Amino acid sequence: MSQAPVVRLEKDNDIGVIVVDYPPVNALGPGVADGIVDALNRGNADPEIRAMVLIGAGRSFIAGADIRGFGTGRKRAPLGSRTYDVMDRSAKPVVAAIHGYALGGGLENALGCHYRIAVPAAKVGLPEVQIGILPGGGGTQRLPRLVGPKVALDMITSGRHVPAPEALALGILDEVLPEGADLRSSAVAYARRVADIRPLPRVRDRAVPPYDPGLFDATRKAIARRARNQKAPYRCIEAVEAACTLPFEEGIARENEFFAELENSDEARALRYAFFAEREVAKLPDMPADIKPRDFHDPAVIGAGTMGGGIAMSFADFGYDVKIMDATEAALNRGMERIRNNYATSVKRGSLAQDDMERRLARIHPVAGYDDIKDCDIVVEAVFERMDVKKPVFAKLDEIMNPDALLFSNTSALDMDDLASVTGRAQNIAGTHFFSPANVMKLLEVVRPSKASPETMATAMAMGRKIGKISAMAGNTDGFVANRSRAPFNGEMVILLEEGCLPEQVDKVMVDFGYPMGPFAVGDLAGLDVGAEGRKRRAAANPNYRKLPIADRLVELGRFGQKTGAGWYRYEKGDRTPHPDPEVAAIIKQVIAELGTPQHDFTDQEILFRLLFSSVNEACRILEEGKAYRASDVDVMWLHGFGFPRYRGGLMYWADGIGVKNVYDQIERWHQQYGERWAPSRLLRHLAESGTPFREAKPAPFR
Ligand code: 3HC
């Protein structure tokens, strides 16, 4: 049976309608670009056709080049023969009719068209930088001609999706249709209106609008922090600069060179991997196909502390009315005040409009007690992280809530089976571990207790996505997947201090590696007392637990981090800048003297490997126990929960770059040197022996 063509040329009397039909998002997969070229040529050759429309079937215009084809040795069509070139040579006008997304090569095709119209909900953008490349279909040359280099630089170096009304104001679109208008018939009518206008308006013929020549260096400076260790953002700037200084064809040639250089760069490979890992993480291989997530309309949050407040904000930010309660009126008022302040800070920074803040705040409803939430369909509990505090809350919820209401706990480590056992509805209970600040961090770790129903789990995963999170499923194990895999790293970083490192030295290595902040500075931000609680609990349960006397000493001295003005660093009043503190160095020295630990010098690589390899080993244990579905899920959690540099793919992807055998050999050496805490996991040994990369590791069935 022959397959339906991915591009069709249909006729609406005198207008040719080129329909791209390559589900799900009309990426420029095999045959699509050729199909567009062929349709353009046929449209031009057909005397009945006066003008053409380029439109996408299904949910989107064109989402860009087919990323799956990148790095596979594919051949790109030579310059001069691409869709945009054929549009440039077209004797008849082409109107891009945009709905859904016009991204990357999608927007570049639209920029090759003579006119662009869109529905109000459409989005356009050049997100290539987010996958480690630059726009390679003329986007770096056409967009600056259309909107000026300043806007082009902003769009191309950020990759942001621009909503249609803004794209109209910027001049990217010629028209945004009224709400509810039919795109195809409107585009056909538009094409008919412009069919006889000559000369054809081509973006390439425009002169770049006047600009400040200092713009390029200023942009390089502005992105330096987030773009460190990466090439693509800088190539994006150079290419836009070329658009401003070189003739069109030469600019295109520059862009083409840069694209060829970047397509197979380490950062592009890692970022592509991250893109697909983020889509894979939503898939639950053992979920029965007929299970659908339940709809919910009326969420409630219990606990108006930092976490509860952030969770309530997440619901409100995504359009949900949410109720929030706390044990006392004073705590609730404090919580609401904090929420208000957080929004106000965003307004002050310019990232949120005042009326948006008011709308969001109005969706958060403080309520006095359980009676006010008893009809809610989803409750997220975010009270203090201790079983004896959470259990009575769950018992009470079980008593008053409708029997089918779902009860989720925001816990970062506690046993969800134990918590569910105080209720008579274990099938309706799951863990939903938010990361702090909950309204900002993208990760939602969804924890599956043993009795939770598939529908409960599907709903918890979907809930995360509905409030803008990336949901990732974890098994019920101490610390779940994210914190459990991170725990050895947290231990090693303090143990390094016993052996001669200083916090600022470790932090520098990790920031140079690509983290936005060093782990000690992060500890100060989160509060050192939080970790101390967990260590106490684990030490009580396990006599072999590796204590961290330096960290404990700091907490004993009341150095809880930023909130007390001192932690691993000292802080000036009202300022969050960490300053290395000679007092900390003295405390470390004192503990070292008490322990008698031998001291030595560390290379940066040793520091990096000590921290990350310990976590790789633990992640392997998690996989061998069936507490995660895939190594790539661990990567997604590290990217979105812990700020692991995205252009390094994720913890396990990065470790594959070092080589599984090299990781294993080093861990085995440390095992000899330091004893049991470095014992290699069974899975790690197996992978090293069989030469299997981490990302192809077969975990045990999820449980
Ligand atoms: N190439 C290949 N597959 C793609 C793709 C692309 N450009 N865009 C999306 N897909 C796939 C996804 O992997 C997913 O596949 P799956 O169902 O097998 O997991 C499916 O399409 C649906 O995607 P999402 O789940 O992400 O759907 P959403 O509706 O949530 O999001 C989207 C849609 C906003 C278009 C999002 O998919 C996206 O951001 N895609 C990438 C866009 C992009 O980066 N485009 C530029 C590509 S590079 C380029 O164009 C180079 C050019 O300059 C030469």
Side-chain angles (χ1 to χ4, degrees), residues 22-29 59-60 62-70 74 76 82 84 100-108 123 125-131 133-139 161 255 259 275-276 278-280 282-283:
Y22 187 64
V25 289
N26 294 326
L28 298 163
R59 67 194 227 212
S60 200
I62 297 172
D66 184 356
I67 307 173
R68 284 184 206 277
F70 285 13
R74 76 200 172 104
R76 295 193 73 199
R82 297 176 183 171
Y84 341 92
Y101 293 95
L103 299 176
L107 178 58
E108 290 174 309
K123 293 202 167 129
L126 293 173
E128 285 87 342
V129 72
Q130 292 171 0
I131 50 169
I133 55 173
L134 84 169
H161 297 177
E255 179 194 270
F259 191 91
F275 175 84
F276 289 114
E278 284 164 359
R279 275 139 193 94
E280 204 60 22
K283 296 171 188 158

Side-chain angles (χ1 to χ4, degrees), residues 116-453:
R116 288 156 292 280
I117 69 168
V119 298
K123 293 202 167 129
V124 306
L126 293 173
E128 285 87 342
V129 72
Q130 292 171 0
I131 50 169
I133 55 173
L134 84 169
T140 64
Q141 304 305 300
R142 286 192 179 84
L143 192 62
R145 286 178 161 76
L146 195 57
V147 299
K150 189 164 193 294
V151 174
L153 280 172
D154 161 54
M155 282 179 62
I156 296 173
T157 61
S158 72
R160 75 187 175 92
H161 297 177
V162 178
E166 185 189 345
L168 176 71
L170 291 174
I172 299 172
L173 297 175
D174 298 298
E175 188 177 313
V176 173
L177 299 175
E179 198 72 59
D182 179 65
L183 178 62
R184 179 172 168 143
S185 53
S186 306
V188 167
Y190 194 102
R192 220 162 257 145
R193 276 204 306 280
V194 298
D196 298 324
I197 297 178
R198 295 293 180 278
L200 291 172
R202 302 190 308 178
V203 175
R204 59 172 288 164
D205 299 334
R206 290 175 172 238
V208 173
Y211 62 93
D212 164 11
L215 181 62
F216 304 101
D217 277 340
T219 309
R220 275 184 269 271
K221 235 189 183 152
I223 64 163
R225 205 178 141 72
R226 74 182 144 93
R228 68 186 185 284
N229 302 336
Q230 295 169 76
K231 272 191 283 197
Y234 293 99
R235 290 304 198 207
C236 288
I237 298 171
E238 271 180 81
V240 174
E241 206 167 0
C244 299
T245 53
L246 299 177
F248 183 79
E249 297 295 346
E250 285 177 41
I252 287 280
R254 273 324 267 292
E255 179 194 270
N256 203 49
E257 270 167 43
F258 292 153
F259 191 91
E261 170 200 308
L262 293 173
E263 180 179 342
N264 290 309
S265 66
D266 289 344
E267 78 194 59
R269 285 173 189 280
L271 289 164
R272 285 201 289 272
Y273 166 85
F275 175 84
F276 289 114
E278 284 164 359
R279 275 139 193 94
E280 204 60 22
V281 75
K283 296 171 188 158
L284 310 178
D286 54 358
M287 178 66 64
D290 57 337
I291 298 293
K292 297 279 168 284
R294 233 196 261 174
D295 243 356
F296 67 93
H297 307 284
D298 198 1
V301 176
I302 304 204
T306 315
M307 287 310 290
I311 296 167
M313 288 169 80
S314 301
F315 281 111
D317 292 349
F318 283 81
Y320 287 94
D321 275 282
V322 56
K323 300 189 173 74
I324 182 165
M325 62 171 275
D326 206 311
T328 66
E329 200 184 329
L332 188 58
N333 290 340
R334 267 198 310 277
M336 288 304 294
E337 193 54 36
R338 190 180 306 113
I339 290 173
R340 210 165 292 125
N341 289 340
N342 285 342
Y343 278 135
T345 306
S346 303
V347 171
K348 224 190 283 157
R349 278 205 204 116
S351 58
L352 183 72
Q354 182 72 38
D355 54 343
D356 266 338
M357 162 171 167
E358 300 305 335
R359 265 196 295 276
R360 292 176 192 200
L361 261 179
R363 291 189 201 116
I364 304 178
H365 308 279
V367 298
Y370 284 100
D371 239 15
D372 300 299
I373 64 161
K374 65 182 189 324
D375 295 322
C376 291
D377 42 18
I378 277 186
V379 181
V380 180
E381 162 278 310
V383 303
F384 194 67
E385 177 77 344
R386 253 183 25 210
M387 197 54 107
D388 58 338
V389 181
K390 292 196 188 274
K391 272 186 172 171
V393 173
F394 267 70
K396 180 71 185 173
L397 286 171
D398 189 38
E399 183 190 314
I400 56 132
M401 302 299 297
N402 289 329
D404 55 356
L406 302 182
L407 311 182
F408 299 151
S409 175
N410 174 57
T411 166
S412 58
L414 298 178
D415 181 348
M416 282 303 304
D417 282 329
D418 192 15
L419 187 55
S421 73
V422 300
T423 73
R425 61 172 91 195
Q427 74 284 0
N428 285 354
I429 287 172
T432 48
H433 174 203
F434 289 80
F435 288 69
S436 187
N439 56 315
V440 176
M441 298 296 284
K442 291 281 277 181
L443 179 62
L444 179 69
E445 190 179 26
V446 174
V447 185
R448 189 169 104 185
S450 56
K451 292 188 181 147
S453 74

